[in-house]
Amino acid sequence: MDLFEYQGKQYFARHGIAISPGAVADTVAAAVSAADQVGYPVVVKAQVQVGGRGKAGGIKLAHTADEVRFHAGNILGMDIKGHVVRRLWIEKASDIKKEYYASFTLDRSARQHLGMLSAQGGVDIEEVAATNPAAIALLHVDPHTGLSEAAVRDWVARAALDAEAVEGAVDILQKLYACYVNGDASLAEINPLILTPAHEVRALDAKVSLDEAALFRHPEWAEFTGLESLDEREREAAEKDLQYVGLAGSVGIIANGAGLAMSTVDIVTQVGGAPANFLDIGGGANADRMVDALTVINDDPAVKAIFINIFGGITRCDEVARGIVEAGRRVTLRAPLVVRLDGTNAVEGRAILTANESDRLLMKPDMLTAAQTAVALAARG
Ligand code: GDP
Ligand code: MN
């Protein structure tokens, strides 16, 4: 779950990380009153979950209410890399002496946390990594032993931050680590981390991804689970509690288990098709779940064929087959269904489907043939 900048900053602030005062605004009038409250000059910042807002014109300095009105009017509704701006963060402008980069994320292959710190922040960190990797100081942290202040001091020295920034950076980096670990984030990034002429160190931007697997122990995340950045299909799927990711193709996919769903996306692509989505219906693919899944896929006008790929484990194929037949009665499908059933009670499941087979409901014995059939049907429109 990715947070918007203003949410990331509120999250940082809760962990004691210094940020600038600010307020959210959804309208031009609200932006002006937020700026009046915060005090001029302010920065008007587009809230979209995509980087490079500054370069795209989504971040503007404003010295007066008129300037706020002008910039807020331009930025609200702006399209930044496919994300429409619906909300602004109005922040007290900072004087910047230096811009640094700091982040913590997980290095899966090292089985450790990885901190990255650079004196060359503000710009694209990917560009720094590509052109001058030595400018990024890396720090691996063993999750069992944690991060000591001495390790942070050594890290800051290796990154060659300015002398005036050292104490502030050591403090913020320790808090950033605590916020990343205790807050169950999978990414906590500050770019830029600034040094002001008054030698303060502050987070000027925030990019935070939370690990949704930890949702159960964070009731306070409820405020973040606004689904604003989801597309219409993903919003509908989330409401039905389905694991769904929208894609751009024409073959709708339903599978049980994330691994099988990914394989299904792969095989459809491999035989020359384009998946319209990833959808893991999970265990217990009963009629109600099937109705929900088919409804979401059926509502996507791009879908021209639907491929249901089920491997019965604990879930029995005869149950799934009954679910599919029942769902077929309850949802008026615009596209033909191709079903592959295998695993526990496959014979019984296939018998149920065979009895209901038509040119709108095809059964195929294996994944490859089923994928080819679905792709051919989708191509026909
Ligand atoms: P991003 O482009 O999406 O990464 O948005 P940021 O919040 O990182 O802002 C981009 C750039 O705008 C920063 O690197 C700064 O150079 C500049 N900027 C943002 N806020 C301020 C501010 O309060 N004062 C000044 N002087 N520059 C700012
Ligand atoms: Mn940034």
Side-chain angles (χ1 to χ4, degrees):
M1 177 166 51
D2 297 332
L3 302 189
F4 288 98
E5 175 199 4
Y6 75 92
Q7 295 173 324
K9 281 185 166 162
Q10 288 162 358
Y11 184 76
F12 281 169
R14 231 174 282 149
H15 289 85
I17 294 173
I19 59 162
S20 306
V24 292
D26 297 339
T27 62
V28 172
V32 172
S33 69
D36 287 344
Q37 243 169 47
V38 167
Y40 296 89
V42 296
V43 186
V44 180
K45 307 187 78 174
Q47 296 301 292
V48 283
Q49 290 172 339
V50 61
R53 295 167 300 162
K55 280 186 195 162
I59 293 179
K60 296 287 179 190
L61 189 67
H63 292 90
T64 62
D66 276 342
E67 286 182 18
V68 171
R69 207 168 287 123
F70 176 75
H71 292 307
N74 282 339
I75 296 175
L76 280 170
M78 182 186 271
D79 185 308
I80 300 182
K81 300 178 190 170
H83 297 244
V84 178
V85 182
R86 307 233 173 270
R87 181 163 280 182
L88 302 170
W89 172 247
I90 309 297
E91 178 172 288
K92 176 123 188 128
S94 303
D95 287 331
I96 303 179
K97 188 168 180 208
K98 278 290 182 62
E99 301 194 22
Y100 309 129
Y101 172 93
S103 70
F104 282 101
T105 187
L106 185 64
D107 181 347
R108 288 172 197 278
S109 49
R111 298 195 183 96
Q112 293 192 325
H113 299 303
L114 175 63
M116 288 186 260
L117 182 62
S118 177
Q120 297 182 23
V123 291
D124 259 339
I125 196 67
E126 285 81 6
E127 200 180 303
V128 177
T131 57
N132 189 11
I136 303 175
L138 304 181
L139 173 72
H140 275 102
V141 184
D142 184 330
H144 298 297
T145 46
L147 182 60
S148 69
E149 187 184 322
V152 175
R153 287 192 179 278
D154 174 65
W155 186 31
V156 170
R158 283 191 287 124
L161 300 195
D162 303 81
E164 317 90 275
V166 168
E167 290 312 314
V170 166
D171 176 57
I172 279 202
L173 291 169
Q174 285 176 284
K175 287 171 176 161
L176 187 64
Y177 180 76
C179 143
Y180 161 80
V181 170
N182 304 332
D184 285 313
S186 50
L187 172 71
E189 180 189 86
I190 306 177
N191 186 30
L193 176 70
I194 59 157
L195 171 66
T196 69
H199 299 177
E200 280 175 90
V201 179
R202 249 201 328 262
L204 214 65
D205 193 3
K207 191 169 169 191
V208 175
S209 300
L210 301 174
D211 180 356
E212 273 162 75
L215 194 59
F216 72 95
R217 58 183 175 209
H218 293 283
E220 79 279 11
W221 287 1
E223 66 173 293
F224 297 142
T225 48
L227 305 169
E228 292 129 67
S229 70
L230 301 181
D231 76 19
E232 206 45 57
R233 301 172 298 170
E234 290 177 339
R235 198 192 308 268
E236 187 187 351
E239 278 164 11
K240 298 185 190 304
D241 212 15
L242 294 166
Q243 301 297 322
Y244 177 101
V245 180
L247 300 168
S250 59
V251 180
I253 288 172
I254 298 173
N256 65 328
L260 185 61
M262 283 191 270
S263 304
T264 310
V265 166
D266 283 349
I267 201 164
V268 163
T269 308
Q270 230 168 55
V271 301
N277 66 279
F278 163 101
L279 195 164
D280 169 15
I281 195 170
N286 60 20
D288 287 341
R289 295 288 286 170
M290 221 19 116
V291 166
D292 282 347
L294 282 171
T295 303
V296 170
I297 289 183
N298 203 45
D299 285 350
D300 179 352
V303 168
K304 302 295 178 215
I306 303 170
F307 178 9
I308 300 182
N309 190 6
I310 301 289
F311 190 87
I314 296 169
T315 309
R316 302 185 342 249
C317 287
D318 54 325
E319 250 175 62
V320 177
R322 269 189 285 274
I324 293 171
V325 171
E326 170 67 23
R329 287 197 192 109
R330 280 156 57 183
V331 186
T332 311
L333 292 176
R334 294 179 302 97
L337 279 185
V338 182
V339 184
R340 173 258 181 168
L341 273 185
D342 214 336
T344 309
N345 287 11
V347 175
E348 292 84 340
R350 288 174 187 167
I352 293 168
L353 288 182
T354 304
N356 290 275
E357 228 175 336
S358 71
D359 61 340
R360 306 293 289 169
L361 172 59
L362 305 170
M363 205 185 28
K364 294 293 160 188
D366 60 83
M367 215 162 131
L368 182 62
T369 331
Q372 286 165 334
T373 308
V375 170
L377 285 170
R380 216 181 290 164

